[in-house]
Amino acid sequence: MVAESEDFDDESLAIDCPVLVTERLVLRPPHEDDISDLAMLANNRRIAEMLSRMPHPYGVAEARAFLAMAGQKRSAGSLYALTLAETGTFVGCAGLNATERGLELGYWIGEPYWKRGYATEAAHALVDLAFRATSITVLHASCRVINPPSRRVIHKCGFQYAGQGMLNSIVAGQVPVERYRLDRKTWVSLRSWASNRPAGAPN
């Protein structure tokens, strides 16, 4: 999952939610204790090639720079470290990035934790946060065309295909991406379907 544009400051997109808790995850601000795990998990070209602003190689210096950026006061959007609720283990990052098009969902998961549904779980929580904490009418998402796992996460959150664009990736250069959008009306419908699901019904 990628954020296509540089961050924009827009106070109407401000989100005041330091911690999000899901069934298996705690989304919280990144901190110093994450540096070693962050450097280890982010030092993966397979991840960096799918993102816009993650360098490769990625070491302690890059992790510290990321923490410094994350620690700056943000007037829009949100940024979280993804940790396991049971152990506190750092597994990746996710957030809502304020871009010129509006809020955009972004995330990455460390390779040892792939295929466990963590990205979808975090994305669902962030989609809900975006619509509940702001007055946006549309939430955006995008992924590289060669990234089927991220596409599946986007689809599971109810996003609709909105065309293609280009991403300027630090590692991969100019690459094509698929753009998606989720409007508030669709989100409300999806939330009502979920709340009306009979007990014991499959997800």
Side-chain angles (χ1 to χ4, degrees):
M1 178 59 96
V2 296
E4 293 187 53
S5 307
E6 294 297 322
D7 290 343
F8 274 66
D9 284 334
D10 183 341
E11 292 185 1
S12 71
L13 303 179
I15 295 174
D16 182 16
C17 181
V19 178
L20 275 173
V21 179
T22 69
E23 183 178 353
R24 298 178 297 164
L25 300 172
V26 175
L27 286 67
R28 56 153 176 80
H31 55 57
E32 287 282 326
D33 291 345
D34 298 325
I35 287 177
S36 60
D37 288 335
L38 172 58
M40 177 185 68
L41 294 178
N43 188 33
N44 185 331
R45 189 176 182 89
R46 295 177 69 187
I47 294 174
E49 287 180 342
M50 299 300 161
L51 304 174
S52 58
R53 289 175 279 176
M54 181 181 283
H56 184 80
Y58 195 108
V60 170
E62 287 74 22
R64 289 191 181 280
F66 171 77
L67 255 67
M69 180 275 296
Q72 295 174 358
K73 182 173 176 57
R74 302 167 70 90
S75 61
S78 60
L79 176 62
Y80 298 99
L82 304 182
T83 64
L84 301 184
E86 286 191 359
T87 63
T89 303
F90 176 93
V91 300
C93 290
L96 296 164
N97 305 295
T99 74
E100 59 186 351
R101 292 185 295 122
L103 277 185
E104 182 167 352
L105 175 67
Y107 56 81
W108 65 267
I109 304 290
E111 188 167 1
Y113 305 100
W114 289 358
K115 298 182 180 180
R116 303 187 191 185
Y118 294 144
T120 301
E121 189 169 327
H124 277 145
L126 288 169
V127 167
D128 288 347
L129 176 64
F131 284 111
R132 287 173 172 157
T134 75
S135 59
I136 61 168
T137 57
V138 176
L139 179 63
H140 300 275
S142 59
C143 69
R144 285 194 60 183
V145 297
I146 61 171
N147 193 352
S150 191
R151 186 182 300 114
R152 285 193 293 272
V153 171
I154 292 170
H155 286 163
K156 288 176 182 177
C157 290
F159 285 85
Q160 300 296 311
Y161 180 72
Q164 289 199 353
M166 296 298 293
L167 167 75
N168 185 21
S169 166
I170 292 175
V171 173
Q174 286 281 335
V175 293
V177 295
E178 296 173 351
R179 292 176 174 164
Y180 294 85
R181 68 195 306 275
L182 175 64
D183 62 60
R184 181 175 288 273
K185 183 177 179 181
T186 302
W187 170 74
V188 169
S189 297
L190 292 172
R191 297 307 299 167
S192 64
W193 295 339
S195 64
N196 292 330
R197 184 184 296 122
N203 290 323

